[in-house]
């Protein structure tokens, strides 16, 4: 750690910048023997020069495994210099850059880091603005796609829209190491949710995906949760199978080593038989795992088909809802037209009433005119009678006053003639005026009556047309309601079929789980029997070792006894040889003595010499 601190001070001196006390304190606080040394620079304001020096320090650093840079107010240039140094680092496992408002240049630098770094497993980028610029975020997504180490990625509150979610979905299709992805509190929306759901059809490593606060419909969220749960179950099954395979391979390896260690034929045969049995069990387990994988793939295919059918049914249901809404609108329009027809009929009735009233008024006016004409004629007749009476009276007076009133009579006569002419002229004028007014009024009333009859005919024709259209629309409405009922019945049947398929799928999954549990139970029983066999083998080996030791001791005893017996035999042989030699010597001595005795006796003299 002191070397790292000295390197930081040396680089600061070479760059002619003042080292920050907070960085020195954090480097000083980290202990050399700590299991996970962490460089915690959170809430420290780091300048561009400090970021450049830290990037150079971390370029060849082999100490820190976790770096905390949250809320450090990093600008784009400082973040680029710092992340450039981490590209070649091989010890940092966790990097936290939360709350630094990184934008386009920061996203590009992060994409370059993910492409080149081979050790980073956790990257926290909460409260930044990586999704505001599409080009920078696309480069970041390319880095995610090329990375083969990263397991956790936190992108909360990064202003990611549906286009950014589409880029991220394309990256997830080619990434097989990322396990946790947090996209809460962005603006992904419906299109982004669909893109991520399609990416999960190919990505099998993602076991945790958070999408809350993104305006995504609930059905897409449920489908995403189902896909993530399926991936988690798949990963758990694969881990369990790997663990079991590893255990079996270790057991096989152990038995092989035990077989190689054993030298007796019986133990060799038993171990070989045991290895063969374990190999057969391993092959059987492999076939079972392959069959389970095939079943899982078939279940996945059935699940995708059911999801596709459900999506098709949802689209069909949406279409039916739209058609139903259109039918409702048409029905409302038809109701409005019926109301208009009723209004027109009411207006027609009102116009007919007005025509009837006008006819009554016309008859009344004609009666009044006739009565006035009769009155004027009566007045004229009365005037003529009065004038005749006046003539008679004047004649009488003239008879009495013939002399006095002759001139007056002639004057009155002329006046009466002129008055009569004027009266007749006025009467003719009144008659002509009354007739003209009556003709004008009659023509006006006839024109009005003609217009009213024409409007009545038009309204009647329009009413008949509206009634025909209403009857046609009612027939169409009845037909469409019948079709809607049929479609509802069909949708209910499809939902029942889907529920049945879901139940079948659940039963199949439960059946597979039960089979897996049974196989696990069988395997555990086999493992228990194997452990019993191992214990028996160990007891037999111990007995064999004890017997071999006892046999070896007895053999050594026998060999020692045999050696002692051989020694005794050798001694006896040597004693026998010595006794034979002694006997031979004695025999030779005796023979010599006998010969000498015989030669010395008188018989010896008589015997010829040989």
């Amino acid at each position: 750690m002191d070397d790292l601190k000295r390197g930081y001070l040396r680089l600061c001196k070479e760059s002619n910048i003042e080292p920050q006390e907070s960085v020195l304190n954090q480097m000083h606080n980290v202990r050399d023997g700590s299991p996970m040394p962490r460089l915690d620079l959170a809430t420290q304001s780091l300048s561009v020069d400090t970021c450049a020096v830290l990037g150079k320090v971390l370029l060849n650093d082999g100490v820190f495994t976790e770096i905390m840079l949250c809320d450090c107010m990093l600008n784009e240039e400082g973040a680029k210099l710092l992340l450039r140094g981490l590209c070649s680092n091989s010890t940092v496992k966790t990097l936290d850059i939360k709350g630094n408002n990184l934008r386009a240049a920061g996203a590009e630098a992060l994409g370059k880091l993910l492409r080149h770094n081979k050790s980073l497993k956790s990257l926290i980028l909460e409260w930044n603005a990586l999704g505001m610029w599409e080009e920078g975020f696309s480069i970041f997504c390319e880095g995610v796609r090329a990375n083969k180490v990263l397991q956790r990625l936190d992108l909360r509150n990064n202003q990611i829209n549906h286009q950014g979610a589409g880029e991220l979905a394309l990256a997830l299709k080619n990434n097989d190491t990322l396990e946790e992805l947090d996209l809460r509190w962005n603006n992904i929306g419906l299109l982004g949710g669909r893109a991520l759901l399609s990416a999960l059809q190919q990505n099998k490593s993602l076991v945790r995906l958070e999408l809350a606060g993104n305006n995504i419909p609930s059905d897409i969220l449920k489908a995403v949760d189902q896909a993530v749960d399926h991936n988690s179950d798949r990963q758990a099954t694969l881990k369990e199978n790997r663990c079991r395979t590893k255990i079996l391979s270790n057991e096989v390896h152990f038995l092989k080593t035990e077989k190689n260690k054993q030298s007796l034929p019986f133990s060799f045969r038993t171990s070989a038989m045991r290895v063969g049995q374990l190999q057969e069990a391993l092959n059987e387990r492999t076939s079972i795992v392959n069959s389970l994988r095939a079943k899982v793939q078939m279940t996945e295919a059935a699940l995708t088909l059911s999801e596709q059918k459900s999506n098709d049914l949802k689209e069909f249901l949406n279409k039916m809802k739209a058609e139903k809404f259109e039918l409702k609108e048409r029905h409302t329009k038809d109701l409005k037209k019926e109301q208009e027809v009723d209004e027109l009929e009411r207006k027609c009735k009102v116009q007919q009433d007005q025509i009837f009233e006008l006819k009554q008024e016309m008859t009344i006016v004609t009666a009044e005119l006739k009565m006035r004409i009769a009155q004027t004629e009566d007045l004229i007749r009365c005037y003529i009678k009065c004038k005749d009476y006046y003539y008679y009276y004047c004649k009488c007076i003239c008879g009495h006053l013939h002399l006095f009133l002759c001139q007056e009579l002639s004057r009155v006569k002329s006046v009466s003639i002129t008055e009569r002419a004027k009266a007749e002229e006025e009467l003719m004028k009144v008659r002509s005026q009354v007739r003209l007014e009556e003709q004008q009024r009659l023509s006006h009333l006839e024109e009005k009556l003609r217009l009213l009859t024409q409007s009545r005919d038009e309204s009647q024709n329009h009413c008949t047309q509206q009634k025909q259209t209403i009857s046609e629309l009612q027939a169409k409405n009845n037909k469409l309601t019948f079709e809607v009922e049929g479609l509802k019945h069909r949708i209910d049947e499809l939902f029942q079929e889907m529920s049945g398929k879901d139940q079948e799928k659940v039963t199949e999954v439960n059946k597979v789980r039960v089979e897996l549990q049974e196989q696990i139970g069988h395997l555990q029983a086999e493992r228990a029997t194997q452990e019993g066999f191992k214990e028996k083998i160990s007891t037999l080996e111990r007995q064999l070792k004890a017997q071999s030791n006892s046999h070896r001791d007895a053999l050594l005893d026998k060999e020692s006894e045999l050696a002692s017996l051989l020694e005794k035999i050798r001694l006896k042989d040597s004693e026998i040889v010595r006794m034979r030699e002694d006997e031979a010597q004695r025999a030779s001595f005796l023979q010599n003595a006998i010969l000498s005795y015989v030669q010395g006796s008188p018989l010896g003299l008589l015997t010829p010499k040989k």
Side-chain angles (χ1 to χ4, degrees):
M1 193 57 61
D2 293 333
D3 295 336
L4 187 66
K5 188 175 179 180
R6 284 195 295 272
Y8 174 70
L9 293 172
R10 180 177 55 80
L11 289 172
C12 288
K13 187 176 180 181
E14 289 177 358
S15 301
N16 294 322
I17 62 172
E18 188 70 22
Q20 287 189 225
E21 291 295 330
S22 59
V23 178
L24 291 173
N25 292 330
Q26 290 297 325
M27 288 183 178
H28 181 70
N29 291 331
V30 177
R31 297 178 180 177
D32 292 331
S34 59
M36 293 183 65
R38 180 173 69 174
L39 180 61
D40 191 356
L41 298 175
T43 67
Q44 303 292 333
S45 180
L46 301 178
S47 62
V48 177
D49 297 331
T50 304
C51 291
V53 173
L54 282 175
K56 292 178 182 178
V57 169
L58 295 173
L59 183 64
N60 297 316
D61 173 51
V63 177
F64 296 112
T65 60
E66 185 176 356
I67 297 176
M68 306 293 291
L69 297 172
C70 51
D71 300 323
C72 290
M73 293 186 291
L74 296 176
N75 56 10
E76 299 284 320
E77 188 65 27
K80 285 175 66 176
L81 294 171
L82 187 58
L83 294 173
R84 186 183 300 169
L86 288 172
C87 288
S88 301
N89 189 286
S90 60
T91 57
V92 176
K93 307 295 182 185
T94 303
L95 179 60
D96 189 352
I97 320 179
K98 179 174 67 176
N100 285 289
N101 198 20
L102 299 180
R103 297 173 184 265
E108 293 177 1
L110 287 168
K112 185 178 179 182
L113 171 67
L114 291 174
R115 278 198 305 272
H116 294 90
N117 189 278
K118 304 298 181 184
S119 64
L120 192 63
K121 293 185 178 181
S122 177
L123 182 59
I124 301 171
L125 299 171
E126 184 183 359
W127 285 107
N128 286 289
L130 301 178
M132 291 183 65
W133 281 267
E134 296 178 2
E135 295 180 357
F137 193 71
S138 64
I139 294 172
F140 172 76
C141 292
E142 289 178 0
V144 173
R145 179 172 56 186
N147 189 276
K148 301 297 180 184
V149 182
L150 190 67
Q151 296 179 357
R152 180 181 175 230
L153 180 60
D154 190 349
L155 291 173
R156 287 177 289 177
N157 291 295
N158 270 277
Q159 301 181 17
I160 301 172
N161 55 11
H162 64 279
Q163 295 177 353
E167 294 287 339
L168 191 59
L170 292 175
L172 289 175
K173 288 181 180 179
N174 296 318
N175 187 290
D176 56 354
T177 58
L178 190 65
E179 296 179 356
E180 297 182 8
L181 178 60
D182 198 343
L183 293 172
R184 287 178 288 180
W185 313 115
N186 287 292
N187 192 17
I188 292 175
L190 175 63
L191 298 177
R194 287 180 178 175
L196 291 172
L197 182 60
S198 65
L200 286 174
Q201 302 297 327
Q202 297 182 10
N203 187 289
K204 303 299 181 183
S205 63
L206 200 63
V207 297
R208 182 171 175 267
L209 179 59
E210 298 290 340
L211 292 174
N214 281 286
N215 296 323
I216 299 175
S218 59
D219 53 349
I220 294 178
L221 289 175
K222 289 180 181 178
V224 169
D225 292 336
Q226 289 178 359
V228 170
D229 292 337
H230 181 68
N231 286 343
S232 62
D233 293 338
R234 184 174 180 273
Q235 292 295 328
T237 306
L238 288 175
K239 286 181 181 178
E240 187 177 359
N241 289 329
R242 289 195 192 103
C243 183
R244 290 178 179 176
T245 307
K246 187 176 180 181
I247 291 169
L248 288 173
S249 61
N250 291 329
E251 288 181 358
V252 170
H253 182 68
F254 176 74
L255 289 172
K256 283 182 179 180
T257 54
E258 288 293 327
K259 182 187 74 173
N260 293 326
K261 288 180 180 179
Q262 291 174 357
S263 60
L264 294 176
F266 177 73
S267 61
F268 179 75
R269 285 196 299 272
T270 55
S271 61
M273 290 173 64
R274 187 61 186 162
V275 168
Q277 290 176 0
L278 289 173
Q279 190 68 33
E280 289 177 358
L282 182 62
N283 294 328
E284 186 178 358
R285 185 69 56 78
T286 307
S287 63
I288 290 168
V289 169
N290 292 326
S291 64
L292 288 175
R293 284 180 181 173
K295 286 182 180 179
V296 168
Q297 289 177 359
M298 291 174 66
T299 309
E300 288 178 356
L303 182 62
T304 53
L305 288 173
S306 62
E307 287 177 354
Q308 187 177 3
K309 286 183 180 179
S310 64
N311 292 325
D312 294 335
L313 288 173
K314 285 178 182 177
E315 291 178 357
F316 184 71
L317 186 61
N318 293 325
K319 287 181 181 179
M320 292 305 301
K321 286 181 179 178
E323 290 179 358
K324 188 176 180 181
F325 183 71
E326 290 178 358
L327 288 173
K328 284 183 179 179
E329 289 183 351
R330 289 179 183 176
H331 187 64
T332 52
K333 289 180 180 179
D334 295 336
L335 290 174
K336 288 181 180 179
K337 287 182 180 179
E338 288 180 356
Q339 291 177 359
E340 290 178 357
V341 168
D342 294 333
E343 186 70 24
L344 289 172
E345 288 179 353
R346 188 177 61 78
K347 287 182 179 179
C348 183
K349 288 181 180 179
V350 171
Q351 288 176 358
Q352 287 178 358
D353 295 335
Q354 289 178 358
I355 290 167
F356 182 72
E357 289 176 357
L358 288 172
K359 284 182 178 180
Q360 287 181 353
E361 289 178 358
M362 190 172 69
T363 53
I364 291 167
V365 168
T366 51
E368 288 179 355
L369 288 173
K370 287 179 180 180
M371 186 174 66
R372 286 181 182 178
I373 290 167
Q375 287 177 359
T376 52
E377 288 178 353
D378 292 335
L379 288 172
I380 290 167
R381 283 196 295 273
C382 289
Y383 180 73
I384 291 168
K385 285 180 180 180
C386 290
K387 188 173 68 172
D388 293 335
Y389 181 74
Y390 180 72
Y391 285 157
Y392 180 73
Y393 180 73
C394 287
K395 192 176 180 180
C396 290
I397 291 172
C398 286
H400 294 285
L401 299 172
H402 184 268
L403 294 174
F404 180 74
L405 296 172
C406 186
Q407 293 179 356
E408 189 69 23
L409 182 62
S410 61
R411 186 180 63 80
V412 171
K413 191 175 181 180
S414 61
V415 169
S416 64
I417 290 168
T418 54
E419 286 180 357
R420 184 177 179 180
K422 287 180 180 180
E424 288 179 354
E425 189 176 355
E426 287 179 0
L427 182 61
M428 291 298 292
K429 286 181 180 180
V430 169
R431 282 183 178 178
S432 61
Q433 188 175 0
V434 168
R435 286 177 182 175
L436 183 62
E437 289 178 356
E438 187 177 358
Q439 287 178 359
Q440 289 178 357
R441 193 165 183 178
L442 285 172
S443 62
H444 181 68
L445 290 172
E446 286 177 355
E447 183 67 23
K448 199 170 183 180
L449 183 63
R450 186 180 63 79
L451 292 173
L452 288 171
T453 53
Q454 187 176 1
S455 64
R456 185 191 65 186
D457 295 333
E458 289 178 356
S459 62
Q460 286 179 356
N461 293 325
H462 188 67
C463 288
T464 53
Q465 290 177 0
Q466 291 292 329
K467 286 180 180 179
Q468 289 178 359
T469 53
I470 287 166
S471 62
E472 291 176 357
L473 289 172
Q474 285 178 354
K476 288 182 180 179
N477 192 8
N478 294 325
K479 186 177 179 181
L480 289 172
T481 51
F482 182 72
E483 290 179 356
V484 167
E485 292 294 331
L487 291 172
K488 284 182 179 179
H489 184 66
R490 178 63 179 167
I491 289 166
D492 294 332
E493 290 179 354
L494 290 172
F495 274 120
Q496 290 177 0
E497 186 177 356
M498 284 179 65
S499 63
K501 287 185 178 179
D502 291 334
Q503 290 178 358
E504 289 178 359
K505 182 178 71 176
V506 170
T507 53
E508 187 69 24
V509 171
N510 292 326
K511 187 177 179 181
V512 170
R513 286 181 180 174
V514 169
E515 290 178 356
L516 284 172
Q517 289 177 358
E518 289 178 355
Q519 291 174 1
I520 289 166
H522 290 306
L523 291 172
Q524 288 177 355
E526 288 179 0
R527 187 176 179 181
T529 54
Q530 289 174 7
E531 289 178 355
F533 286 146
K534 284 181 181 179
E535 290 178 357
K536 288 181 180 180
I537 289 168
S538 62
T539 53
L540 290 172
E541 286 177 352
R542 286 195 296 272
Q543 291 176 1
L544 186 61
K545 286 181 181 179
Q547 289 178 2
S548 61
N549 291 325
S550 62
H551 289 164
R552 192 178 293 111
D553 294 335
L555 187 61
L556 290 173
D557 293 336
K558 294 293 183 183
E559 286 179 354
S560 62
E561 289 178 359
L562 184 61
S564 62
L565 289 172
L566 288 172
E567 185 67 24
K568 288 179 180 180
I569 291 168
R570 188 180 62 79
L571 292 173
K572 292 289 183 182
D573 289 336
S574 62
E575 188 176 356
I576 290 167
V577 170
R578 186 176 57 79
M579 288 174 69
R580 283 179 181 178
E581 289 177 353
D582 291 339
E583 288 292 331
Q585 190 176 4
R586 285 177 183 176
S588 63
F589 286 159
L590 183 60
Q591 187 178 2
N592 291 326
I594 291 169
L595 287 174
S596 63
Y597 176 72
V598 170
Q599 287 176 1
S601 67
L603 292 174
L605 295 174
L606 295 175
T607 58
K609 293 182 180 179
K610 292 181 180 179

